[in-house]
Amino acid sequence: MPWSNQGGGPWGSGPKGPWGSGSPPPGSQPPDLEDLLRRGQDKLRSVLPGGGLGGTGVLIVGLIAVALWLFSGFFQVAPDELGLVMRFGKFNRKVDPGLGYHYPYPIESVEIPKVTRVSAIPIGVRYEDTRRGTQTRDMPEESLMLTGDLNIVDVNFTVFWVVASGQTGAADFLFNMQNAEGTVKAVAESAMREVIGRSELDPILTVGRPQIEKEVSELLQKTLDQYQAGVKITQVQMQKAEVPSQVIEAFRDVQTAQADQERLQNEARTYASRVVPEARGRAAQLLQSAEAYREQTVAEATGQTARFNKVYEEYKKAPDVTRKRLYLETMERVFGGTDKILLDSAGQGSGVVPYLPLPELRSRPSAQSPQSAPGGNR
């Protein structure tokens, strides 16, 4: 039954408590310590059989002490925790979530770290809780980094980590890591500076963030594994990557100049893609015309050569006839398109020059033919 139903504790101490040490009235002196011990011994003798601490009493007290000592070995492991049992200070085994037991101290002891809780470490920025809400404070000594092309970039990122699973992951985390958060933060900052140091500025500011996050996570995990830290990196997330505010105007001018350069280069490529095909087309046309002229000239020369050879063969058979024929054909070709006037040299002494107008005679039939056509139809 509760003490209130008995008018005090199990030793009949009334409302003053089991040792008769209730609140003293105002102005009274506190009870003497020796008096309190004497009263406690008297009450204990009244409870034990025989009224004293004989052999049976000592045995009962010893059994109770042993039972309490054995009962102290039970422990409870929550779902997000893992029990690590050490025997004489050395890791012995792990215990899954639930009720567990180990040999009581000093034989065995247990450590129960939280192994599923994801911890986040911001680098380059601090989050401070104030009455107005959460405020951020930049940490330039952590965020300013030098890129591979000798530019300065301001990078803020967050590292998410958990205690590594496995047989020795949590044990390594407990025994090899004195300051887990500080170690992970220092290694993460070093890994980010190494990756940024071998990257150029443009990919960092634009499309290269996923690749940088991946490389930093792999390098960070590799380094922690070498330290046997018992930490698993789940994610590296970049919140901000930009040039410092002190040089933002100059950087914008550089970006504008680069945009103008790209625009002019694109215009030049467009002009070249239009002019070059035209020039190539004209060049191909000239080459084709030259090829055609060459073939035509060679064919004509070949034909004239063959004709000359045939004429020469005929000339060897009948030189006089061939010579006369060549002369007539040459004269026909030379005088065929010219106006000709024939004069009779035999009548020069008579004072009358015989005249034969061949051009008029040639053109007259052609001029009269349209007039004679209707008469012929009559």
Side-chain angles (χ1 to χ4, degrees):
M1 292 183 294
W3 291 1
S4 60
N5 296 338
Q6 299 295 325
W11 295 274
S13 58
K16 295 182 180 181
W19 309 110
S21 59
S23 299
S28 62
Q29 296 295 330
D32 189 8
L33 180 59
E34 293 181 357
D35 185 43
L36 292 177
L37 293 176
R38 181 178 54 80
R39 292 181 182 181
Q41 292 176 358
D42 294 339
K43 300 299 181 182
L44 184 60
R45 289 192 186 96
S46 63
V47 174
L48 293 175
L53 291 175
T56 305
V58 174
L59 180 60
I60 293 175
V61 172
L63 291 176
I64 293 175
V66 171
L68 292 176
W69 180 70
L70 293 176
F71 185 77
S72 65
F74 288 96
F75 61 93
Q76 180 71 28
V77 180
D80 61 340
E81 297 174 341
L82 182 65
L84 301 176
V85 179
M86 278 87 61
R87 180 173 296 175
F88 298 110
K90 182 180 180 181
F91 174 74
N92 180 262
R93 65 186 183 275
K94 70 174 184 177
V95 180
D96 295 329
L99 183 63
Y101 182 80
H102 65 86
Y103 293 118
Y105 183 84
I107 300 176
E108 290 183 347
S109 62
V110 63
E111 296 287 344
I112 307 177
K114 294 184 178 296
V115 295
T116 60
R117 182 182 62 185
V118 179
S119 302
I121 301 178
I123 300 177
V125 66
R126 294 290 183 275
Y127 299 98
E128 300 176 350
D129 294 333
T130 60
R131 295 180 179 179
R132 297 181 180 180
T134 303
Q135 295 182 355
T136 59
R137 179 166 58 92
D138 293 333
M139 304 295 292
E141 63 274 11
E142 298 178 358
S143 60
L144 294 180
M145 303 180 185
L146 186 66
T147 63
D149 51 358
L150 302 181
N151 288 305
I152 298 177
V153 62
D154 190 0
V155 178
N156 296 342
F157 65 101
T158 303
V159 178
F160 298 91
W161 61 276
V162 296
V163 178
S165 60
Q167 183 68 24
T168 61
D172 291 340
F173 176 77
L174 286 177
F175 305 134
N176 298 339
M177 294 277 283
Q178 183 177 4
N179 183 6
E181 184 174 352
T183 302
V184 173
K185 179 180 178 181
V187 177
E189 183 178 350
S190 176
M192 179 61 74
R193 290 185 181 277
E194 179 177 346
V195 175
I196 293 296
R198 59 171 181 254
S199 303
E200 295 183 355
L201 180 62
D202 289 340
I204 297 173
L205 301 179
T206 54
V207 298
R209 292 190 181 185
Q211 182 64 25
I212 293 176
E213 293 174 350
K214 179 181 177 182
E215 292 181 6
V216 171
S217 178
E218 293 176 353
L219 181 59
L220 176 57
Q221 186 65 63
K222 180 180 179 181
T223 305
L224 292 175
D225 291 342
Q226 292 176 353
Y227 292 160
Q228 295 182 354
V231 173
K232 180 180 179 182
I233 303 301
T234 59
Q235 184 182 7
V236 175
Q237 184 178 7
M238 296 176 64
Q239 275 78 31
K240 182 182 72 172
E242 59 185 20
V243 296
S245 58
Q246 295 85 350
V247 295
I248 187 65
E249 295 298 332
F251 179 75
R252 289 175 179 173
D253 293 340
V254 172
Q255 285 185 328
T256 302
Q258 291 178 350
D260 293 340
Q261 179 184 3
E262 293 179 359
R263 178 178 57 81
L264 294 175
Q265 289 179 352
N266 292 332
E267 292 179 356
R269 293 190 187 97
T270 303
Y271 176 76
S273 62
R274 177 174 56 85
V275 173
V276 172
E278 294 179 356
R280 290 176 178 174
R282 289 195 297 270
Q285 182 180 1
L286 292 176
L287 290 176
Q288 292 178 356
S289 300
E291 292 291 338
Y293 175 75
R294 184 187 64 179
E295 293 178 358
Q296 178 183 357
T297 304
V298 171
E300 291 179 355
T302 303
Q304 291 178 0
T305 303
R307 179 175 176 277
F308 179 81
N309 291 332
K310 291 181 178 180
V311 172
Y312 179 69
E313 293 293 335
E314 296 297 330
Y315 175 77
K316 290 191 296 182
K317 296 178 181 179
D320 296 335
V321 177
T322 304
R323 188 182 301 111
K324 185 176 181 179
R325 179 182 177 184
L326 290 174
Y327 175 78
L328 294 177
E329 289 179 354
T330 301
M331 292 297 103
E332 181 181 3
R333 187 165 54 253
V334 172
F335 295 106
T338 59
D339 294 336
K340 295 174 284 299
I341 298 176
L342 299 180
L343 298 177
D344 187 4
S345 59
Q348 291 182 359
S350 61
V352 179
V353 179
Y355 170 70
L356 181 61
L358 295 180
E360 286 78 359
L361 294 177
R362 180 180 300 176
S363 61
R364 183 177 300 173
S366 60
Q368 292 179 355
S369 58
Q371 297 178 359
S372 59
N377 295 331
R378 294 178 182 177

